[in-house]
């Protein structure tokens, strides 16, 4: 009888899940020595692969500038970033890079990695202790569970936090970020925005979210105006 009435009580109760451990990230980027005034100078730059994606462009990116690059998908925003930093060859024209540029590059997508987040960061900073690496990842909002998980099984947001961890702990004087907020939660976005405002070097940021980038940047480049495509 008692069991029966207890069961009834239990049936009336709502099942709630134990709240998941959540830490607010606090991003901050290490700054490298000041480079020359002009970081990247593009002269008649056309980006593209088998065919050109843009008209010839003349652009200058300075060390004190924070710039957003916007435009609909498929125009060549990622291609432009990779061409600027020398990962891709221009279709034509040239990019002149200052000798002292130190780039922190956040890729739009990272290949699935069979490394734990811990090892992913430790590979980069082999002279640190286990505890130090865990501390660095925790600062980016990752829990012990995340830290010990393979990068490839982390959610998009957790994966992005681990990748930001790697970038922010390496000295840079220009941060080149390709849609860094795509998977980030509100707290992480806010913290990243504060960190980019506080960063004294240059920022070149691809983003679709004006509420994120407008408080950071002093210039917006609309790639639609340079495209060979009609948008
Ligand atoms: N490795 C590649 N080889 C050939 N074409 C590519 C390659 N990567 C991207 N593209 C093409 O170049 C165009 C621009 O791509 P992308 O720079 O990624 O645009 P966005 O970042 O603005 O969305 C797209 O049409 C895309 O399909
Ligand atoms: Mg892209």
């Amino acid at each position: 009888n008692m069991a029966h009435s207890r069961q009834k009580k239990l049936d009336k109760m709502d099942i709630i899940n134990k709240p998941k451990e959540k830490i607010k990230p606090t991003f901050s980027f290490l700054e490298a020595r000041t480079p020359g005034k002009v970081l990247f100078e593009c002269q008649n730059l056309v980006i593209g692969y088998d065919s050109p994606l843009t008209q010839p462009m003349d652009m200058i990116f300075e060390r004190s500038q924070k710039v957003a690059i916007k435009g609909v998908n498929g125009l060549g925003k990622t291609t432009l970033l990779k061409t600027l930093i020398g990962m891709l060859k221009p279709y034509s024209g040239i990019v002149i890079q200052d000798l002292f540029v130190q780039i922190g590059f956040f890729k739009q997508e990272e290949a699935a990695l069979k490394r734990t987040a811990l090892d992913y960061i430790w590979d980069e900073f082999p002279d640190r202790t286990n505890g130090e690496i865990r501390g660095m990842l925790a600062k980016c909002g990752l829990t012990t569970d995340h830290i010990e998980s393979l990068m490839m099984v982390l959610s998009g947001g957790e994966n992005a936090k681990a990748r930001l961890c790697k970038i922010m702990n390496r000295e840079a004087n220009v941060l080149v970020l390709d849609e860094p907020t795509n998977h980030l939660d509100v707290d992480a976005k806010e913290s990243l925005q504060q960190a980019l405002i506080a960063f004294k070097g240059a920022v070149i940021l691809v983003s679709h979210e004006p509420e994120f980038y407008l408080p950071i940047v002093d210039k917006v480049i609309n790639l639609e105006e340079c495209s060979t495509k009609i948008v």
Side-chain angles (χ1 to χ4, degrees):
N1 210 3
M2 215 163 94
H4 193 71
S5 76
R6 189 160 291 169
Q7 184 60 50
K8 262 182 145 174
K9 265 190 199 157
L10 282 173
D11 288 344
K12 278 187 195 150
M13 277 185 203
D14 290 331
I15 298 170
I16 53 168
N17 289 319
K18 189 177 143 200
K20 280 221 175 112
E21 190 192 352
K22 207 178 159 225
I23 335 171
K24 268 196 182 182
T26 41
F27 301 112
S28 71
F29 294 86
L30 283 183
E31 284 163 35
R33 61 160 284 186
T34 311
K37 187 164 184 284
V38 175
L39 304 178
F40 306 102
E41 180 172 352
C42 309
Q43 296 177 351
N44 275 312
L45 175 68
V46 176
I47 57 166
Y49 301 90
D50 298 329
S51 56
L53 287 165
T54 59
Q55 322 275 357
M57 300 180 283
D58 290 299
M59 295 190 283
I60 281 178
F61 294 86
E62 293 186 13
R63 67 177 173 217
S64 56
Q65 268 183 337
K66 294 182 181 171
V67 182
I69 298 169
K70 66 169 191 174
V72 296
N73 282 332
L75 279 186
K77 299 182 298 300
T78 297
T79 307
L80 174 59
L81 292 189
K82 288 182 175 171
T83 309
L84 275 183
I85 67 177
M87 276 175 74
L88 287 174
K89 287 215 156 62
Y91 180 84
S92 65
I94 55 170
V95 178
I96 303 164
Q97 192 180 110
D98 182 75
L99 228 53
F100 298 103
V101 159
Q102 275 179 261
I103 300 163
F105 180 42
F106 182 90
K107 286 188 192 150
Q108 186 173 358
E109 271 140 28
E110 183 78 275
L113 283 176
K114 277 195 187 159
R115 298 290 279 158
T116 63
L118 182 74
D119 287 336
Y120 172 74
I121 298 300
W122 220 344
D123 289 346
E124 283 297 308
F125 307 97
D127 53 333
R128 311 289 171 94
T129 66
N130 184 307
E132 284 170 337
I133 301 291
R134 286 173 184 271
M136 286 154 72
L137 283 157
K139 202 172 165 236
C140 293
L142 295 176
T143 65
T144 306
D145 270 357
H146 300 148
I147 291 170
E148 292 167 359
S149 298
L150 295 181
M151 289 291 284
M152 57 187 287
V153 306
L154 291 178
S155 74
E158 293 148 9
N159 189 285
K161 287 172 187 170
R163 293 197 289 124
L164 285 168
C165 181
K166 179 160 132 183
I167 295 164
M168 70 181 219
N169 286 291
R170 272 250 169 277
E171 289 181 359
N173 45 35
V174 53
L175 300 172
V176 178
L177 310 174
D178 199 352
E179 303 200 26
T181 58
N182 277 358
H183 303 281
L184 291 185
D185 53 78
V186 179
D187 285 342
K189 262 187 215 182
E190 205 178 282
S191 173
L192 181 61
Q193 190 179 57
Q194 288 314 311
L196 293 178
I197 291 169
F199 184 67
K200 291 193 189 71
V203 175
I204 304 174
L205 171 69
V206 171
S207 174
H208 293 289
E209 297 178 71
E211 64 280 10
F212 175 75
Y213 65 72
L214 285 179
I216 301 168
V217 304
D218 30 55
K219 186 176 165 184
V220 180
I221 295 173
N222 183 359
L223 205 57
E224 292 168 18
E225 289 162 8
C226 312
S227 180
T228 51
K229 296 178 189 165
I230 295 163
V231 277

